[in-house]
Amino acid sequence: MSTTFEVYPTTAYIPRIAELLTLANDKLLSFLRPFDLKISPVIGARIGETFIDRSSSNSFSTQWKTEYAWFFITPDEHGGGTDAYYRMVEEHTLEIWNEYEDAGDRYGEVLKSLSVGHYWTFRRSAGQPAIINLCYGLLAAALAELTGGFIFSDDGAWSGPPIQATEFEARYFKPEISNNYGDASWYTQCLESLIEDYQGIPYIPKVNLLIEHDWPMDKRVRYAPSGRTIQEGPDENDRLTIIHSEYVNFPYIIINRTLIKAHGKQLLRVMKLLILKDGLRIGSQPVSMVHETDIKPMLIDRDFYFWSNPLLVKDGEGILRQLIEAEN
């Protein structure tokens, strides 16, 4: 799967590629400075068979005539790159943006900017190294800054309305203030990999992320406090039945096990339905909303009977009825 940043200029100015590289590399250097890398990555470009760096004196502009421009990193031990496209505004472009006409002021401003007649896209294909995952956004930010433009994505590179470069950079690849939990997790993984690749100081995340476990599907329904699986059966002191998500300490359902006598297969079926039907992805949730669940109060509270995770389960009461009625 690939993701793209689109850049919609509000001026007719066409920067030289060397100018774009200069600003993008300045942004990259500023971003990476706190990590004290031993190896300094530098963004370069290729147009057809011509290689361009920030000091190039050639006149290649961002209005390139080839199908695409290729932006890459040196030193290139880790390979990869992002392909960028200069596109003309066509009828279908106008049709797409007309659908956003009532979506808010920023969308309206992009719609007006289409009168400039062109825009750019930066595409990142799946499997790119972490440095490319960072840099294709910085290239988009640099080009938007040079052209007074807006950055936008409708395929997952960025969530939210069109945004200008300064606002974008304030949140881009900053896990603790990112748009949502999915971005925070992605940024953290990329930063850890990038710093390892270029030999920087160890990265300490500023946001608490959930930890994925490696339990197979049939081991994700467990009893507490023993942690025994349904195949092993409950310990005599177990009070809770827990249907776990793919994350440690972030379950779908916790229920007082004395309320139900559902068979193990019935519990597994409920769990699979949660995943397929009621499970909501947490990636779109605000970072502050996603945190581990503490089951200790539920173990202590003798009156506790049921809890469902509001970020993962749509109809907790409906699931409770299923569990209770499963014994009949």
Side-chain angles (χ1 to χ4, degrees):
M1 176 182 173
S2 62
T3 53
T4 55
F5 282 112
E6 300 168 354
V7 178
Y8 292 91
T10 61
T11 70
Y13 179 64
I14 302 290
R16 291 190 308 115
I17 291 179
E19 184 181 4
L20 171 61
L21 289 175
T22 296
L23 184 55
N25 275 296
D26 287 346
K27 293 180 183 298
L28 177 61
L29 179 63
S30 177
F31 182 89
L32 295 177
R33 188 173 291 114
F35 306 123
D36 195 23
L37 303 183
K38 293 182 179 178
I39 304 172
S40 298
V42 177
I43 307 171
R46 177 172 58 81
I47 303 292
E49 300 301 319
T50 302
F51 287 86
I52 305 167
D53 60 35
R54 60 191 301 172
S55 62
S56 295
S57 59
N58 60 51
S59 59
F60 278 99
S61 77
T62 50
Q63 192 178 19
W64 47 78
K65 303 301 182 183
T66 55
E67 180 184 358
Y68 65 89
W70 180 250
F71 292 87
F72 57 91
I73 300 295
T74 56
D76 60 354
E77 288 91 342
H78 307 287
T82 176
D83 44 321
Y85 299 82
Y86 172 82
R87 302 188 185 278
M88 301 304 296
V89 173
E90 298 177 346
E91 188 63 32
H92 76 275
T93 315
L94 294 169
E95 291 174 357
I96 291 171
W97 279 95
N98 278 326
E99 295 178 6
Y100 289 117
E101 188 174 10
D102 299 322
D105 292 343
R106 287 296 178 85
Y107 293 93
E109 290 182 62
V110 171
L111 186 56
K112 291 178 183 177
S113 78
L114 297 181
S115 62
V116 172
H118 62 262
Y119 64 100
W120 292 269
T121 63
F122 292 86
R123 188 183 74 95
R124 178 198 65 87
S125 58
Q128 291 291 339
I131 188 65
I132 296 298
N133 299 336
L134 167 66
C135 285
Y136 87 125
L138 295 182
L139 282 160
L143 189 52
E145 182 175 325
L146 290 168
T147 61
F150 289 92
I151 303 162
F152 181 69
S153 176
D154 62 359
D155 61 11
W158 180 261
S159 58
I163 190 170
Q164 293 180 310
T166 302
E167 301 168 283
F168 174 80
E169 290 179 74
R171 306 185 74 86
Y172 185 57
F173 261 72
K174 307 233 175 29
E176 66 277 12
I177 56 171
S178 55
N179 290 332
N180 52 58
Y181 181 82
D183 286 349
S185 178
W186 169 246
Y187 293 163
T188 299
Q189 293 175 41
C190 288
L191 288 169
E192 290 174 341
S193 178
L194 186 158
I195 290 168
E196 180 180 354
D197 289 344
Y198 293 94
Q199 301 176 26
I201 59 177
Y203 178 64
I204 301 175
K206 296 179 181 178
V207 59
N208 293 322
L209 297 176
L210 301 175
I211 300 172
E212 293 189 37
H213 58 68
D214 58 359
W215 300 341
M217 193 73 72
D218 62 352
K219 306 292 185 185
R220 282 167 51 176
V221 178
R222 301 197 174 206
Y223 301 104
S226 73
R228 292 166 66 91
T229 66
I230 55 174
Q231 291 84 2
E232 296 168 321
D235 182 84
E236 62 179 11
N237 295 319
D238 284 331
R239 296 192 60 248
L240 306 178
T241 299
I242 303 178
I243 299 180
H244 289 274
S245 72
E246 64 265 42
Y247 300 100
V248 175
N249 297 328
F250 196 72
Y252 286 109
I253 297 289
I254 302 175
I255 188 169
N256 185 324
R257 79 175 184 87
T258 63
L259 293 178
I260 59 172
K261 296 179 182 179
H263 191 275
K265 289 184 178 179
Q266 293 170 315
L267 287 169
L268 287 173
R269 185 165 61 249
V270 168
M271 180 190 68
K272 291 176 181 178
L273 286 172
L274 281 169
I275 295 170
L276 295 174
K277 180 182 177 181
D278 279 342
L280 300 176
R281 301 311 304 167
I282 64 171
S284 61
Q285 300 294 332
V287 176
S288 60
M289 294 285 291
V290 182
H291 48 77
E292 292 187 350
T293 302
D294 184 4
I295 70 167
K296 291 179 183 178
M298 304 176 203
L299 285 168
I300 295 171
D301 183 2
R302 291 293 167 180
D303 295 324
F304 171 80
Y305 76 99
F306 179 76
W307 174 88
S308 64
N309 192 324
L311 300 186
L312 296 177
V313 180
K314 294 179 182 177
D315 182 15
E317 291 301 320
I319 297 298
L320 175 60
R321 287 193 298 271
Q322 289 183 49
L323 292 172
I324 292 174
E325 294 169 3
E327 63 180 313
N328 297 326

